[in-house]
Amino acid sequence: MGELYLGVDAGNSKTAALVCTAAGEIVGYGRSGCGDIYGAPTSSDAVAEVAAAVGDALAGASVAMAGIAGAAFRLAGVDWPEDCAFWDTALREKYPTLRRRSILNDGYAAIRCGEPSGVGVAVIAGTAAAVAARGPGGAVWDLGWWPQHSMGAAGLAEEALKAVYLADLGLGSKTSLTEGLLEFFGRSSVFELNRWFTRREGAAPWQEKPRAARVVTAAAEAGDQVAQVIVREQGRRLAMYAGVAARKVGLADGPGKVSVVLSGSVLMAVESPVADALLAELDGHVPGVVPHRAVVPPVAGAALDALGESGIPVTPAVTDRIAATLPPKEFLAT
């Protein structure tokens, strides 16, 4: 089988891990819960979830960590230097035999999902949003806690709820989102909807809001003007932060092309109006942009990073092999 490589993508909804060969064949995989040190009940819980996914992936590949030649940990919540230091200590204690590894924010996992060189910008819109970039000289930058706008599925839902509440108060335009969200959440009135999300006891868990993103995109596609404004604004925000990322790592300094990879459930949905809105805005924020759709999920991008950082060329054949040997779709469902 030869040397094996490990890629880990940890987020709030799940943590996924893949073990692959140098040729890109996936030979083990594992999945667990929240691996974000900001989102898990405790940082120790996040470490345990990452370890659980890694353990299952190693077991599936019938290999111990000592047999892993290189690993890329792409972890939500690696936002500040102390976060990286925390994970460096945790992984060193957990896996003392691991020979080569890197630790970065999960946003970086998506770059190689559409740009094999790993140089470019990734724009991810899933439950939340992430933007990360790697420049030609190796400089990296990610959005972390810098965004001042709500984005991703959560952002779409929050803006839609705001529009519904304002319409109910007579301070905003009427919108089909009112009927759509009441039906989706099973509430009898806007009063009950607002109360359900904000009451002191028995309030809806935060995970409920992002689920309604599909209501917003469906309303926009059906012609609702309020929903269309929300979708266009989501595209503008994502494009704006992609521009910041490109400038931060030197991708905007010359006349060359700049790869921007789109990933995440909101942008990868069939005929996604948010993706269309983002693409319509990108030229104005990233000169020379060449957009790419991710061809593999972020955890596969992490595995490709593990290969690339170990000196193995990430060729189309390697990416194709990873894509062909991915776990079943339900493994990556959120």
Side-chain angles (χ1 to χ4, degrees), residues 196-210:
W196 186 52
F197 277 117
T198 59
R199 62 193 183 199
R200 183 168 47 86
E201 296 181 358
W206 69 267
Q207 295 94 333
E208 285 293 324
K209 281 186 183 179

Side-chain angles (χ1 to χ4, degrees), residues 160 163-179 223-227:
V164 167
Y165 298 155
L166 288 172
D168 195 66
L169 293 172
L171 300 175
S173 301
K174 290 184 177 181
T175 169
S176 66
L177 289 170
T178 299
E179 181 180 353
D224 185 274
Q225 293 185 353
V226 173

Side-chain angles (χ1 to χ4, degrees), residues 7-329:
V8 181
D9 174 43
N12 277 272
S13 59
K14 67 179 183 301
T15 296
L18 298 178
V19 174
C20 70
T21 67
E25 181 178 0
I26 296 168
V27 294
Y29 53 88
R31 172 175 171 149
S32 60
C34 175
D36 181 350
I37 55 176
Y38 287 89
T42 69
S43 57
S44 296
D45 289 323
V47 173
E49 295 294 347
V50 168
V54 169
D56 286 348
L58 294 174
S62 299
V63 66
M65 187 59 84
I68 296 297
F73 291 84
R74 301 295 177 256
L75 312 170
V78 177
D79 298 321
W80 301 115
E82 57 267 32
D83 301 326
C84 189
F86 168 85
W87 277 107
D88 183 64
T89 298
L91 294 175
R92 192 184 319 115
E93 292 176 351
K94 198 80 177 174
Y95 308 116
T97 61
L98 183 56
R99 289 175 279 166
R100 181 188 291 113
R101 60 173 168 77
S102 64
I103 304 167
L104 288 171
N105 181 273
D106 61 329
Y108 293 95
I111 299 177
R112 287 193 202 263
C113 294
E115 174 47 68
S117 71
V119 174
V121 180
V123 180
I124 306 102
T127 300
V131 176
R134 184 182 289 109
V140 294
W141 185 86
D142 57 85
L143 197 54
W145 289 99
W146 286 105
Q148 303 303 306
H149 306 84
S150 186
M151 296 177 290
L156 288 167
E158 287 169 9
E159 294 295 335
L161 286 166
K162 183 189 299 183
V164 167
Y165 298 155
L166 288 172
D168 195 66
L169 293 172
L171 300 175
S173 301
K174 290 184 177 181
T175 169
S176 66
L177 289 170
T178 299
E179 181 180 353
L181 290 177
L182 290 178
E183 180 180 354
F184 183 81
F185 288 121
R187 303 293 125 178
S188 60
S189 66
V190 176
F191 175 89
E192 288 299 335
L193 182 65
N194 194 356
R195 176 171 172 263
W196 186 52
F197 277 117
T198 59
R199 62 193 183 199
R200 183 168 47 86
E201 296 181 358
W206 69 267
Q207 295 94 333
E208 285 293 324
K209 281 186 183 179
R211 292 178 51 241
R214 69 194 72 174
V215 177
V216 188
T217 54
E221 290 176 308
D224 185 274
Q225 293 185 353
V226 173
Q228 288 176 342
V229 168
I230 292 171
V231 165
R232 285 197 297 270
E233 177 61 13
Q234 281 286 307
R236 187 192 71 83
R237 292 174 181 178
L238 292 167
M240 176 177 65
Y241 287 117
V244 172
R247 293 191 294 274
K248 289 285 187 180
V249 301
L251 285 167
D253 294 343
K257 302 296 184 181
V258 180
S259 290
V260 176
V261 180
L262 278 59
S263 184
S265 57
V266 171
L267 296 178
M268 296 301 289
V270 177
E271 298 182 349
S272 165
V274 180
D276 291 343
L278 167 60
L279 293 171
E281 292 277 349
L282 265 178
D283 272 333
H285 295 274
V286 186
V289 62
V290 179
H292 305 270
R293 304 263 184 172
V295 296
V296 290
V299 65
L304 291 171
D305 268 354
L307 295 173
E309 292 169 356
S310 300
I312 296 171
V314 180
T315 64
V318 170
T319 301
D320 289 347
R321 189 60 182 153
I322 278 203
T325 56
L326 283 170
K329 286 184 178 181

